[in-house]
Amino acid sequence: MGEPLTVDELLPLVARLSPKERVRLFRLVGAAAGDADTCQAAPPTAEEFASDEDALAWDAEGWENVG
């Protein structure tokens, strides 16, 4: 068996899957590792949720004329 793929190598392969096969893959991955196990193994980093924008700014756009 060869070396494990990196994320950069895996993403193009996933992108080539049909929508039906992509859903199947995501279900298999989800069934193989529950959310709790995944979060314990690799908790989210601060960069994953960091943003320079106001968290509610996107929610306020387009409501000026409603009312």
Side-chain angles (χ1 to χ4, degrees), residues 19-53:
K20 184 178 177 181
E21 284 298 309
R22 196 175 302 167
V23 168
R24 182 173 174 245
L25 173 65
F26 293 154
R27 285 186 182 145
L28 289 171
V29 169
D35 289 339
D37 294 335
T38 303
C39 288
Q40 283 181 333
T45 63
E47 292 83 32
E48 289 183 69
F49 298 99
S51 175
D52 292 338
E53 296 181 19

Side-chain angles (χ1 to χ4, degrees), residues 5-26:
L5 295 174
T6 66
V7 171
D8 290 331
E9 295 167 332
L10 186 61
L11 283 178
L13 299 174
V14 172
R16 282 190 254 166
L17 293 173
S18 69
K20 184 178 177 181
E21 284 298 309
R22 196 175 302 167
V23 168
R24 182 173 174 245
L25 173 65
F26 293 154

